[in-house]
């Protein structure tokens, strides 16, 4: 069944739809990457829609038809494989329907669930998961390849990360690895002397009753034992040094890659997905420095002792290797099941991480709504699933170990019997038999290491598959790489900033030309519709509108959070898409609705760039944000630490910190999204007066509902349902008595004023 039907595991919680598409295309002979389907199906935090799957499939030449049908229609009329909507929240692939007959009492359906595996289910179980209870019908996406599908080149083929990617991390440590290898070789040479000493002790010392020789052999064994301990200690210290540096290097490179990805990548991920991938790096580190080097040492030992055993009797060596091959083969039998359990454990651990994170960060809401028990029960359900997987894993491990140990024991008994027989037939001495027993014991250890190495290789490969999804993603900056060198950006970025600042153009400021944007697929509703506007350079532009009118989305487009669906944005005549996102954001001071407070001092929460804090800038930022009185009351002042969720400070203090952070950058462009919504009237009045002074000469975009925030703007833009309805000053727009007047009257409370 596994050879005929293609199966792939979903790597993330929201990946079931794209993974199902990948299985179907692989069934028809094409292996497209999961990233390709993710991008073209427009995956988001809520997963992917059926319509998104249709668009991704049709882009590569697969004809699609979403339908709702009965089981009879599914079993007799539908071309298979097809994708089914499962349990109202998941997607699976239906490969085959085997109806009941003389040899089969129940109908059997072959289903590929990307979250669990390739399984056979009976009709009753199938209907409970697929069909709705009221009409016994379920949703299916029918797929049929066209000639275009087969003619199309596989330009988006899956390119998994191989072990070559891993071993490049070992290159800087070649000198240490050579020392470790020499230590292993010396340890093996020391170990190989012990069986000869044992044989000499029995055959010459004991039989000839030569006490001086016995003393010499025992003293030699003691010295060799101490030498072996010394070699092991040095090797372990070197390994600790390499392990520590390697661990930091691997995870640091992962975080570096993560930070280069576009912001919309993180909107389809949750905390558990990313944190579990960081844990995957520890398995890779262990594989590189622990399992690989130990196995190398074991293989050297195995080779050396095999040569020694062959000098005693070649038949015994043959029996050892036949038994060893059977033991290793026994381990391989269970690898596929072990792989499935590892994927299931990853999913459960991810859910566990999310659950714990929500319990800690959402404790206030949990207590306010008296849902402690419900949230605890949810966590306990996850633990029950984890326990079930742990039980299955333990059972599998026991089957592997018991089977391998039985085969090893039978092999050892057979070798002991043959060795004893050789002694009785006077073909070898008693000392030689004891020496052979010692050699077999020394060879069994490396054999166990090799069997464990097989498992570690599988673990590392699984982790690499998951990490490959991150490392294969294109960076936000596609054309250049940007590096921080001593706190300064490289020449490429400086050039972009220079171009950004010095470009001469007839139209100064920011210009939006027929900008449209939608989240998700091309059939999703437009959030912004053909927006054209001019944000004058050095002026304050306020954007107002009812909730859901597209104000915040427009601001995120100006900050290059997402690519435009259509249209163009220019800055001083230069296309914003052609300007480095990093360089552009360096010139922007931003206050968002959902700003983040870092677990650090107040000073470092204002000056977040990690550079030396400039006192003059800090004083100005504190003054503009009206934070001086608050900071003076704190016992540690600027060095007071605050939590990563702003623990210990109010909503208004949080907003003032965000304003101070934006002011500290001293940017040329300012973007404020409801920056004063949590402030009291007195603080807002003071801060707005300070900001009016600070805004002079800067290009400012302000989103707000309060009249006090927008009435002094040089230009006010009214958005309604993603379209611009009015543009003008406060006086001009209130005189019109249109959309702005209604907003002012209802939301900005002009009538009350």
């Amino acid at each position: 069944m596994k050879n005929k039907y293609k199966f792939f595991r979903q790597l993330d919680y929201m990946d079931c739809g794209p993974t199902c598409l990948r299985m179907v295309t692989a069934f028809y002979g094409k292996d497209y990457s999961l990233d390709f389907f993710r991008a073209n199906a427009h995956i988001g935090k809520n997963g992917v829609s059926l319509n998104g799957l249709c668009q991704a499939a049709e882009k590569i030449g697969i004809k699609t038809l979403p339908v709702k049908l009965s089981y009879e229609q599914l079993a007799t009329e539908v071309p298979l494989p097809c994708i089914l909507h499962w349990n109202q929240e998941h997607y699976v692939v239906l490969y085959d329907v085997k109806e009941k007959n003389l040899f089969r009492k129940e109908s059997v359906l072959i289903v590929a669930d990307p979250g669990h595996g390739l399984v056979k289910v009976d009709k009753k179980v199938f209907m409970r998961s697929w069909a709705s209870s009221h009409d016994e019908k379920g949703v299916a996406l029918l797929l049929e390849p066209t000639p275009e599908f087969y003619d199309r080149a596989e330009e988006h083929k899956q390119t998994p990360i191989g072990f070559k990617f891993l071993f490049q991390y070992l290159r800087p440590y070649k000198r240490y690895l050579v020392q470790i290898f020499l230590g292993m070789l010396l340890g093996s040479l020391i170990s190989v002397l012990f069986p000869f000493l044992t044989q000499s002790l029995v055959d010459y010392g004991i039989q000839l009753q030569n006490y001086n020789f016995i003393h010499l052999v025992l003293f030699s064994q003691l010295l060799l034992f101490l030498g072996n301990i010394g070699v092991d200690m040095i090797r372990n210290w070197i390994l600790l040094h390499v392990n520590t540096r390697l661990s930091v290097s691997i995870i640091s490179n992962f975080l570096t890659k993560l930070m280069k990805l576009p912001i919309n990548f993180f909107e389809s991920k949750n905390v558990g997905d990313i944190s579990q991938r960081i844990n995957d790096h520890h398995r890779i580190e262990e594989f590189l420095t622990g399992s690989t080097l130990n196995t190398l040492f074991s293989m050297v030992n195995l080779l050396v002792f095999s040569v020694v055993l062959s000098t005693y009797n070649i038949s015994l060596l043959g029996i050892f290797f036949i038994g060893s091959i059977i033991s290793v083969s026994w381990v391989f039998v269970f690898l596929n099941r072990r792989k499935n359990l590892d994927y299931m454990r990853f999913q459960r651990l991810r859910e566990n991480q999310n659950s714990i994170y929500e319990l800690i960060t959402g404790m206030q809401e949990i207590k306010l709504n008296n849902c402690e028990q419900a949230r605890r029960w949810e966590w306990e359900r996850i633990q029950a699933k984890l326990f079930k997987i742990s039980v299955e894993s333990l059972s599998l491990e026991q089957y592997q170990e018991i089977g391998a140990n039985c085969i090893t024991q039978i092999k050892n008994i057979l070798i002991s019997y043959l060795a004893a027989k050789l002694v009785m037939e006077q073909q070898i001495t008693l000392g030689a038999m004891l020496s052979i027993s010692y050699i077999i014991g020394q060879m069994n250890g490396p054999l166990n290491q090799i069997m464990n190495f097989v498992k570690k290789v599988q673990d590392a490969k699984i982790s690499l598959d998951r990490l490959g999804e991150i490392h294969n993603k294109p960076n936000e900056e596609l054309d250049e790489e940007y590096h921080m060198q001593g706190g300064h950006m490289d020449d490429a970025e400086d050039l972009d900033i220079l171009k950004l600042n010095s470009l001469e153009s007839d139209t100064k400021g920011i210009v939006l030309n027929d900008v449209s944007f939608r989240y998700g697929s091309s059939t999703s509703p437009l959030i912004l519709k053909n927006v054209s506007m001019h944000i004058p350079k050095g002026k304050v532009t306020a954007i107002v509108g009812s909730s859901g009118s597209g104000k915040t989305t427009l601001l995120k487009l100006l900050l290059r959070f997402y690519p435009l669906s259509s249209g163009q944005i220019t800055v001083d005549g230069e296309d914003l898409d052609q300007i480095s996102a990093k360089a552009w954001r360096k010139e922007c001071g931003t206050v968002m609705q959902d700003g983040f407070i870092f677990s650090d001092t107040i000073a470092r929460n204002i000056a977040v760039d990690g550079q030396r804090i400039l006192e003059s800038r800090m004083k100005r930022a504190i003054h503009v944000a009206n934070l001086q009185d608050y900071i003076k009351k704190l016992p540690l002042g600027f060095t007071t630490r605050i939590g990563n969720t702003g623990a210990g400070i109010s909503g208004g203090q949080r907003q003032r910190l965000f304003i101070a952070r934006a002011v500290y950058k001293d940017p040329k462009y300012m973007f404020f999204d409801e920056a004063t919504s949590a402030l009291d009237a007195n603080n807002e009045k003071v801060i707005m007066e300070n900001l009016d002074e600070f805004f002079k000469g800067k290009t400012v975009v302000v989103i707000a509902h309060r009249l006090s925030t927008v009435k002094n703007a040089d230009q006010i833009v009214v958005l309604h349902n993603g379209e611009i309805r009015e543009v003008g000053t406060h006086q001009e727009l209130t005189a019109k008595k249109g959309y702005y007047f209604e907003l002012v009257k209802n939301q900005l409370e002009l009538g009350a004023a």
Side-chain angles (χ1 to χ4, degrees):
M1 184 171 78
K2 291 176 183 177
N3 293 329
K4 183 179 178 183
Y5 307 122
K6 301 295 182 180
F7 176 76
F8 300 108
R9 282 270 175 189
Q10 65 184 80
L11 298 177
D12 283 334
Y13 183 65
M14 298 299 178
D15 277 346
C16 56
T19 307
C20 286
L21 270 182
R22 188 183 171 206
M23 283 191 268
V24 172
T25 54
F27 178 83
Y28 288 120
K30 295 288 185 76
D31 185 14
Y32 283 87
S33 72
L34 195 59
D35 274 339
F36 172 78
F37 289 126
R38 279 199 193 103
N40 288 281
H42 306 285
I43 192 169
K45 279 200 170 181
N46 296 321
V48 63
S49 67
L50 205 61
N51 188 59
L53 293 179
C54 290
Q55 289 189 42
E58 292 190 358
K59 187 163 186 176
I60 57 171
I62 292 183
K63 188 168 61 176
T64 64
L65 180 65
V67 293
K68 189 170 186 180
L69 35 70
S70 65
Y71 174 82
E72 288 69 26
Q73 291 172 306
L74 184 69
T76 58
E77 300 174 16
V78 167
L80 299 178
C82 67
I83 295 175
L84 305 179
H85 197 215
W86 200 250
N87 289 325
Q88 306 300 311
E89 61 176 7
H90 190 52
Y91 292 106
V92 300
V93 174
L94 175 64
Y95 272 120
D96 203 357
V97 179
K98 298 181 183 295
E99 293 289 4
K100 59 183 179 181
N101 53 35
L102 292 173
F103 306 101
R104 192 180 298 113
K105 294 182 179 180
E106 289 289 338
S107 297
V108 173
L109 298 98
I110 298 173
V111 173
D113 185 337
H116 294 91
L118 193 61
V119 294
K120 292 180 178 179
V121 296
D122 59 40
K123 181 180 176 181
K124 186 177 179 181
V125 172
F126 176 82
M127 291 298 288
R128 191 165 59 240
S129 299
W130 174 64
S132 58
S133 57
H134 69 280
D135 62 359
E136 295 293 313
K137 290 185 177 181
V139 175
L141 177 61
L142 311 188
L143 302 144
E144 189 174 354
T146 65
E148 181 192 349
F149 172 78
Y150 294 107
D151 294 340
R152 188 183 178 91
E154 291 183 63
E155 67 269 29
H156 301 285
K157 191 173 181 179
Q158 183 80 10
T159 52
I161 289 181
F163 285 102
K164 184 180 179 182
F165 165 80
L166 286 186
F167 288 113
Q168 68 184 358
Y169 285 103
L170 293 175
R171 286 180 185 172
Y173 309 106
K174 285 180 181 177
R175 182 164 57 93
Y176 298 109
L177 295 177
V178 169
Q179 293 174 17
I180 291 170
F181 180 75
L182 290 175
M184 288 177 176
L185 198 59
L186 181 59
S188 296
L189 292 175
I190 291 173
S191 297
V192 84
L193 294 174
F194 280 100
F196 293 111
L197 289 174
T198 302
Q199 181 181 358
S200 300
L201 181 69
V202 174
D203 291 345
Y204 298 101
I206 295 175
Q207 288 193 4
L208 299 177
Q209 297 185 356
N210 188 338
Y211 285 96
N212 290 331
F213 185 78
I214 291 172
H215 295 156
L216 178 64
V217 169
L218 293 177
F219 184 68
S220 301
Q221 286 184 333
L222 178 63
L223 289 179
L224 289 173
F225 175 71
L226 293 175
N228 218 353
I229 289 177
V231 170
D232 283 344
M233 285 180 64
I234 295 170
R235 190 184 71 189
N236 288 336
W237 277 107
I238 295 173
L239 270 177
L240 176 65
H241 173 75
V242 174
N243 271 350
T244 305
R245 293 178 63 179
L246 199 65
S247 177
V248 172
S249 177
I250 289 174
I251 297 179
S252 176
N253 286 347
F254 175 75
L255 294 176
T256 300
K257 174 64 182 181
L258 208 59
M259 290 176 182
K260 289 180 179 180
L261 298 178
I263 291 173
N264 58 6
F265 164 79
F266 298 93
E267 296 196 346
S268 63
K269 301 292 174 192
N270 54 38
V271 175
D273 281 329
I274 295 175
S275 62
Q276 279 305 115
R277 278 171 170 76
I278 292 175
N279 292 336
D280 274 339
H281 282 85
H282 295 299
R283 295 208 311 192
I284 288 172
E285 172 213 336
E286 184 185 349
F287 166 74
L288 279 178
T289 56
S291 300
T292 303
L293 294 177
N294 286 336
T295 304
L296 180 64
F297 179 55
S298 298
M299 293 185 77
V300 170
N301 270 352
L302 191 61
L303 180 63
V304 170
F305 281 109
S306 296
V307 172
V308 174
L309 183 59
S310 67
T311 62
Y312 284 99
N313 191 286
I314 196 71
S315 299
L316 297 178
L317 180 64
I319 292 170
F320 178 86
F321 274 111
I322 291 171
S324 300
I325 291 169
I326 295 172
S327 295
V328 175
S329 300
W330 177 262
V331 172
F332 272 96
V333 168
F334 296 93
L335 286 184
N336 193 52
R337 177 60 183 156
R338 190 173 179 275
K339 179 180 179 182
N340 291 337
L341 285 172
D342 189 86
Y343 276 112
M344 291 168 68
R345 182 184 291 107
F346 179 87
Q347 292 173 21
R348 299 289 89 83
L349 287 173
R350 177 192 59 211
E351 292 172 5
N352 185 54
Q353 292 268 10
N354 282 334
S355 178
I356 293 293
Y357 178 79
E358 287 180 358
L359 280 174
I360 295 169
T361 58
M363 190 57 70
Q364 176 177 293
E365 289 299 315
I366 290 171
K367 287 186 171 295
L368 285 174
N369 293 282
N370 291 328
C371 58
E372 294 95 333
Q373 190 179 59
R375 304 307 298 182
R376 178 173 57 81
W377 282 351
E378 183 179 337
W379 178 82
E380 287 177 355
R381 281 192 289 270
I382 295 171
Q383 301 315 301
K385 293 176 182 177
L386 264 173
F387 176 73
K388 184 179 177 182
I389 292 172
S390 297
V391 169
E392 290 185 46
S393 298
L394 179 61
S395 299
L396 187 72
E397 199 73 23
Q398 288 178 333
Y399 292 146
Q400 281 185 311
E401 288 188 8
I402 291 171
N405 289 340
C406 285
I407 295 168
T408 300
Q409 196 61 37
I410 292 169
K411 173 195 69 183
N412 291 344
I413 291 170
L414 184 59
I415 290 174
S416 297
Y417 170 76
L418 291 176
K421 185 180 177 185
L422 291 172
V423 172
M424 289 187 291
E425 293 174 353
Q426 298 185 348
Q427 294 186 32
I428 61 172
T429 64
L430 180 62
M433 189 188 84
L434 294 175
S435 180
I436 288 170
S437 297
Y438 177 85
I439 291 169
I440 294 299
Q442 292 296 306
M443 292 174 73
N444 281 330
L447 182 63
N448 289 332
Q449 285 278 3
I450 291 170
M451 286 191 285
N452 286 328
F453 180 68
V454 171
K455 301 174 188 175
K456 296 295 183 184
V457 169
Q458 185 185 44
D459 289 343
K461 182 67 174 67
I462 293 169
S463 294
L464 275 175
D465 289 342
R466 288 196 283 257
L467 296 176
E469 186 228 344
I470 304 293
H471 286 286
N472 284 331
K473 279 192 174 294
N475 296 340
E476 185 176 43
E477 305 286 353
L478 296 178
D479 298 324
E480 302 98 3
E481 291 293 330
Y482 300 93
H483 303 282
M484 296 297 291
Q485 298 175 347
H488 300 286
M489 293 183 184
D490 63 10
D491 294 339
E493 185 169 325
D494 290 335
L495 184 63
D496 259 328
I497 295 174
L498 189 64
K499 181 167 63 175
L500 186 65
N501 296 334
S502 63
L503 189 67
E504 294 296 331
S505 174
D506 294 334
T507 307
K508 292 290 186 180
I510 303 172
V511 176
L512 288 81
N513 185 23
D514 286 332
V515 169
S516 295
F517 177 77
R518 56 165 55 89
Y519 294 100
S521 66
S522 59
T523 57
S524 301
L526 284 168
I527 307 299
L528 295 173
K529 307 166 190 173
N530 301 319
V531 172
S532 295
M533 62 184 289
H534 176 217
I535 299 171
K537 193 179 184 79
K539 302 289 185 181
V540 178
T541 297
I543 301 176
V544 299
S546 57
S547 297
S549 59
K551 305 184 299 297
T552 300
T553 298
L554 177 58
L555 195 67
K556 289 181 177 180
L557 293 181
L558 291 174
L559 290 166
R560 285 196 60 184
F561 278 24
Y562 314 107
L564 305 179
S565 298
S566 63
Q568 183 187 44
I569 299 176
T570 61
V571 179
D572 292 345
E574 176 74 8
D575 191 338
L576 184 59
D577 284 342
Q578 302 304 313
I579 300 170
S580 156
K582 198 168 185 178
W584 168 239
R585 290 173 193 150
K586 185 179 181 182
E587 298 300 306
C588 299
T590 309
V591 179
M592 304 295 290
Q593 290 183 37
D594 51 354
F596 191 82
I597 299 292
F598 297 96
S599 181
D600 210 332
T601 63
I602 288 178
R604 277 297 170 195
N605 263 289
I606 294 172
V608 294
D609 57 3
Q611 306 302 309
R612 184 174 64 86
I613 296 175
L614 302 176
E615 189 177 349
S616 59
R617 280 198 188 183
M618 182 61 71
K619 284 182 177 178
R620 181 175 60 177
I622 294 299
H623 168 71
V624 172
N626 198 28
L627 275 169
Q628 57 273 13
D629 291 339
Y630 164 67
I631 293 174
K632 284 177 184 176
K633 293 176 184 176
L634 298 172
L636 297 177
F638 284 103
T639 58
T640 303
R641 294 187 71 88
I642 50 181
N644 59 359
T645 56
I649 62 175
S650 68
Q653 289 162 349
R654 282 169 59 93
Q655 281 199 330
R656 283 188 281 164
L657 266 175
F658 297 146
I659 292 170
R661 186 184 293 172
V663 170
Y664 180 84
K665 285 180 74 174
D666 193 23
K668 292 179 173 59
Y669 300 86
M670 302 286 290
F671 299 98
F672 282 16
D673 187 3
E674 299 290 355
T676 60
S677 60
L679 299 179
D680 60 86
N682 291 333
N683 264 311
E684 184 186 21
K685 183 175 182 295
V686 173
I687 291 172
M688 287 310 302
E689 288 173 356
N690 294 340
L691 282 173
D692 286 341
E693 180 66 26
F694 180 74
F695 284 163
K696 288 180 180 177
K698 301 183 186 299
T699 305
V700 182
V701 177
V702 176
I703 293 174
H705 286 95
R706 291 187 178 182
L707 173 62
S708 56
T709 309
V710 303
K711 66 180 181 181
N712 295 325
D714 299 295
Q715 172 184 249
I716 298 173
V717 178
V718 183
L719 275 180
H720 181 69
N721 289 335
E723 297 177 302
I724 294 178
R725 297 296 187 181
E726 294 175 338
V727 179
T729 63
H730 173 70
Q731 290 76 17
E732 291 169 351
L733 294 178
T734 49
K736 279 186 179 181
K737 294 193 176 181
Y739 283 96
Y740 179 73
F741 181 80
E742 291 299 317
L743 283 169
V744 164
K745 186 171 67 174
N746 297 329
Q747 296 181 24
L748 306 183
E749 300 176 356
L750 179 62

